[in-house]
Amino acid sequence: MSESGGIGRRSALKGIAVAGIAAVPGAILAGRQRAAAATLFPQPAVSAARLVPGSASGVVEQTLDVRLTDVLVPGYRRVTTRTYNAAIPGPTLRVRGGQTLRLTHVNGLPPDPSHTGDSHTPHHPNSFNLHTHGMHVSPSGNADNVRRAFAPRTAEEAAAGVAEPQYVTTIEVPSDHPAGTYWYHPHLHGSTAEQIVGGMAGVIVVEGDVDEVPEIKAAADIVVCINELKFKDGKVPAFTSGGWVNGVPSTFTVNGAVNPTLTLRPGEVQRWRLVAATAFTALRLQVAGEQGSLTLHQIAQDGVTFDAPRARNLLDLAMGNRADILIRGGTAGRYELRADMVPEPLMTVVVAGEPVNPPMRLPASLPPGRPFLDEKDIANPGADREVVFHADARVFAGAFPNAFRMLGTNATPAAHPDGDLTRDPAYGLFDPDYINHTLRLGTVERWTVRTDETVPVHSHPFHLHTNHVLLTHRNGKRLDPPVWHDTIGLTGGAPGQSATFLVKYEDFTGDAVAHCHQLQHEDLGMMQTVRYVEPAESQGHSRRS
């Protein structure tokens, strides 16, 4: 279903002109400009809150204009791709708990081609919506509602001079929302992968208590948004077959540039907000050079702050994950941020300049972002939910032969229950009219998710919308301490990986989704619908009412 707004094209363009970095308050902007100048490192435009009439806490207003744009990717070439505001990535949105995100979306894309397939083949590549990945906000109405569709003009409307359609997203950020790093991207089923590999992504920063820790406040605050782009002949190939990008190498950019250079003084501490805005590739990251490696002091995972920094030489980010780290310059020299299986460095880090003496300090403790859940609070012990990521080859005729299924508890029913389920055209595939999980607010449950893939490099990251999950076990082994996530990486093998987590359904009712965050798989059916309901409502599963 498409929607229509009532904001004029001229007003939208005016919003684009003023809603970028100029929207940041002066003192904050000056500090960020100093950090950017000191590092010679690209940073996305920034939009921050301002007071508007009738607003007590502030509103972040931003126009996100989406159209095919000729973009120069420094270090690569000029490409034509769908963008937010003619840039990769889009503007960074900075907001605080209790404030409002008010986003105006302009769809300047060409008309959608006709679609004759079913719901789990790619479709409507020029329609989109908005998902605020990882944020604990409402999944309903005009908020983080991935069932909305922001359609472009039809060919007839364009020929008649009808204005480009506009849509509004309004998100009320809870006053106690964890401070940290999140991101936004389109999430219309059937078009997500093609749009994200073209660069449609942006960062959300929720500001709060952790930013006031003296050692963190003193550090330059730097966004490191890693996009994985797929270009052939200067554009994203159309998603017309299951092998649509086979043989198309990934181009990895950081803040829109290939291998940009960041400068770090010996003894200086910087805060990096690492965002894995990738569709296909998990990232095992390290910073190393001839002088050795730089320690990554992780302070948050997926937007939730730890109780203290955790020193790592290697940092794993599945597709969609984020990590906040503190990094301190050591021996002068040239280092590289590298990821396993990615042949080229993601960015270069030059430690140079006048040493900071004494070296900047790291915090000993942090204000934790969320309290842990307790297994004794699990509702209905023994009634755990299970999800199994499973693929069956050569099920369908045509260009998309493989079935990407989510099996286990409340899998989408088979079309032919008494037949061969490996050949079934519906079993475990996303059905927009089927509720796979009905989840009662206030309830704590335990889920186990696993993949039965046998090939280690095949990955099925699990992502649940609206509520964070507390990862307690990996491959049956308890984590100490557990870690909050919104996306959990799972790779294949013999056996494939498994993860067990606790989750408490809080605050918001409505329909959301759980899915594989290898986004081609999600577009082809590896997704389920979850319905958050009030405590008194039914716990069953059903066709959508």
Side-chain angles (χ1 to χ4, degrees), residues 261-385:
T261 297
L262 180 150
T263 301
L264 180 64
R265 294 167 61 193
E268 177 192 5
V269 173
Q270 295 177 352
R271 177 192 191 169
W272 295 357
R273 298 179 182 269
L274 296 166
V275 179
T278 59
F280 297 99
T281 303
L283 304 173
R284 168 162 279 194
L285 299 173
Q286 64 176 323
V287 178
E290 293 183 357
Q291 299 77 15
S293 61
L294 298 181
T295 301
L296 311 178
H297 300 274
Q298 187 177 4
I299 61 172
Q301 173 71 40
D302 287 354
V304 179
T305 306
F306 296 161
D307 59 357
R310 299 176 192 169
R312 310 192 189 283
N313 290 321
L314 295 172
L315 179 64
D316 288 309
L317 297 182
M319 299 82 95
N321 279 149
R322 289 90 55 221
D324 284 32
I325 67 165
L326 300 176
I327 188 165
R328 182 160 52 195
T331 304
R334 179 187 179 91
Y335 302 79
E336 294 174 337
L337 175 66
R338 282 192 169 269
D340 284 2
M341 310 300 292
V342 176
E344 301 299 327
L346 298 173
M347 71 182 195
T348 296
V349 180
V350 175
V351 178
E354 187 71 22
V356 177
N357 193 14
M360 294 173 65
R361 297 174 56 191
L362 299 170
S365 62
L366 300 166
R370 290 179 64 94
F372 291 152
L373 301 174
D374 196 313
E375 290 183 335
K376 68 180 176 57
D377 295 324
I378 295 173
N380 304 317
D384 296 356
R385 297 178 188 268

Side-chain angles (χ1 to χ4, degrees), residues 208-469:
D209 52 3
V210 66
D211 306 306
E212 299 306 316
V213 173
E215 295 88 350
I216 294 175
K217 192 172 184 177
D221 189 342
I222 298 173
V223 166
V224 181
C225 184
I226 303 167
N227 289 87
E228 179 181 18
L229 310 175
K230 292 282 190 179
F231 296 130
K232 183 178 181 180
D233 300 326
K235 61 183 180 180
V236 179
F239 195 175
T240 55
S241 73
W244 64 303
V245 288
N246 287 354
V248 179
S250 295
T251 298
F252 290 90
T253 62
V254 169
N255 299 339
V258 173
N259 190 17
T261 297
L262 180 150
T263 301
L264 180 64
R265 294 167 61 193
E268 177 192 5
V269 173
Q270 295 177 352
R271 177 192 191 169
W272 295 357
R273 298 179 182 269
L274 296 166
V275 179
T278 59
F280 297 99
T281 303
L283 304 173
R284 168 162 279 194
L285 299 173
Q286 64 176 323
V287 178
E290 293 183 357
Q291 299 77 15
S293 61
L294 298 181
T295 301
L296 311 178
H297 300 274
Q298 187 177 4
I299 61 172
Q301 173 71 40
D302 287 354
V304 179
T305 306
F306 296 161
D307 59 357
R310 299 176 192 169
R312 310 192 189 283
N313 290 321
L314 295 172
L315 179 64
D316 288 309
L317 297 182
M319 299 82 95
N321 279 149
R322 289 90 55 221
D324 284 32
I325 67 165
L326 300 176
I327 188 165
R328 182 160 52 195
T331 304
R334 179 187 179 91
Y335 302 79
E336 294 174 337
L337 175 66
R338 282 192 169 269
D340 284 2
M341 310 300 292
V342 176
E344 301 299 327
L346 298 173
M347 71 182 195
T348 296
V349 180
V350 175
V351 178
E354 187 71 22
V356 177
N357 193 14
M360 294 173 65
R361 297 174 56 191
L362 299 170
S365 62
L366 300 166
R370 290 179 64 94
F372 291 152
L373 301 174
D374 196 313
E375 290 183 335
K376 68 180 176 57
D377 295 324
I378 295 173
N380 304 317
D384 296 356
R385 297 178 188 268
E386 181 186 44
V387 170
V388 181
F389 291 114
H390 174 84
D392 287 316
R394 298 178 295 279
V395 175
F396 305 111
F400 300 96
N402 300 333
F404 292 92
R405 310 185 194 272
M406 289 179 70
L407 306 181
T409 307
N410 299 340
T412 304
H416 310 292
D418 298 326
D420 181 355
L421 295 182
T422 66
R423 306 294 97 190
D424 195 89
Y427 180 50
L429 296 174
F430 177 61
D431 179 345
D433 295 320
Y434 187 77
I435 308 299
N436 298 90
H437 303 277
T438 301
L439 310 175
R440 294 179 300 183
L441 295 191
T443 300
V444 176
E445 292 189 325
R446 178 167 47 211
W447 294 47
T448 296
V449 295
R450 62 183 176 88
T451 173
D452 62 8
E453 290 278 8
T454 58
V455 180
V457 295
H458 288 180
S459 180
H460 295 300
F462 175 87
H463 176 44
L464 176 67
H465 287 208
T466 309
N467 289 284
H468 271 77
V469 304

Side-chain angles (χ1 to χ4, degrees), residues 99 101 130-148 169-174 177 441 465-467 506-513 532:
Q99 295 181 338
L101 275 173
L130 187 83
H131 175 43
T132 53
H133 186 121
M135 292 192 71
H136 180 58
V137 295
S138 173
S140 302
N142 290 341
D144 184 34
N145 184 349
V146 299
R147 298 190 66 81
R148 302 174 75 194
T169 295
T170 301
I171 294 176
E172 305 293 339
V173 181
H177 195 288
L441 295 191
H465 287 208
T466 309
N467 289 284
E506 298 183 284
D507 299 322
F508 302 108
T509 60
D511 290 352
V513 292
Y532 296 110

